[in-house]
Amino acid sequence: MSTVTASNPIADAILLQRLEGLAALGLGVAVYIWLGQSWWVFALLFLVPDIAMLGYLRSPRFGALTYNLVHTYAAPALLALSGLAVGPLAYGLAAIWTAHIGFDRLLGYGLKLETGFEHTHLGVIGKARRKR
């Protein structure tokens, strides 16, 4: 006799978004390999988007705004589009940026809510999650 378990639609959606992050990370790294640019530059710039967290020093609302502006795929897409005029450097930077966002999503770090850094569109993270 088999049992049917109920699906958790929120957990399913979060899993899909984490897998989407893995795909974006893989795509960013694959494009960077294809471009043949410096891995030192990749390593040096990979965490640069996290500087946007400094917005939280002003307020949770401003922090969420600055973090989210830098952690949406639209920003590196626009940078890549500018590569048509700027050249390969823009493509490399966009690939690094896309890989960073994908890595964050894979780890469960989503876009921030104004209620605090630990509240994301993928759920609660950090200490707030452990308190549940």
Side-chain angles (χ1 to χ4, degrees):
M1 185 174 205
S2 67
T3 45
V4 177
T5 58
S7 175
N8 180 341
I10 293 174
D12 293 346
I14 290 171
L15 175 62
L16 286 174
Q17 288 192 12
R18 284 184 170 208
L19 291 173
E20 180 182 67
L22 177 62
L25 171 62
L27 178 65
V29 170
V31 166
Y32 202 79
I33 290 169
W34 181 74
L35 290 167
Q37 295 185 9
S38 168
W39 284 103
W40 288 106
V41 171
F42 188 96
L44 183 68
L45 298 180
F46 186 74
L47 295 177
V48 165
D50 286 336
I51 291 172
M53 287 187 281
L54 293 175
Y56 280 94
L57 295 174
R58 180 172 171 191
S59 73
R61 182 174 187 205
F62 187 73
L65 173 68
T66 58
Y67 185 92
N68 291 345
L69 285 173
V70 175
H71 285 83
T72 179
Y73 291 114
L78 289 173
L79 178 60
L81 187 59
S82 78
L84 296 172
V86 176
L89 176 63
Y91 300 134
L93 295 174
I96 295 167
W97 200 349
T98 298
H100 172 87
I101 295 170
F103 184 69
D104 276 4
R105 294 290 196 291
L106 176 63
L107 296 178
Y109 295 101
L111 297 174
K112 305 302 181 198
L113 306 178
E114 293 181 2
T115 53
F117 182 80
E118 294 177 328
H119 301 142
T120 78
H121 84 285
L122 294 177
V124 179
I125 59 171
K127 293 178 185 175
R129 183 176 186 163
R130 289 188 291 269
K131 290 180 184 177
R132 289 179 141 194

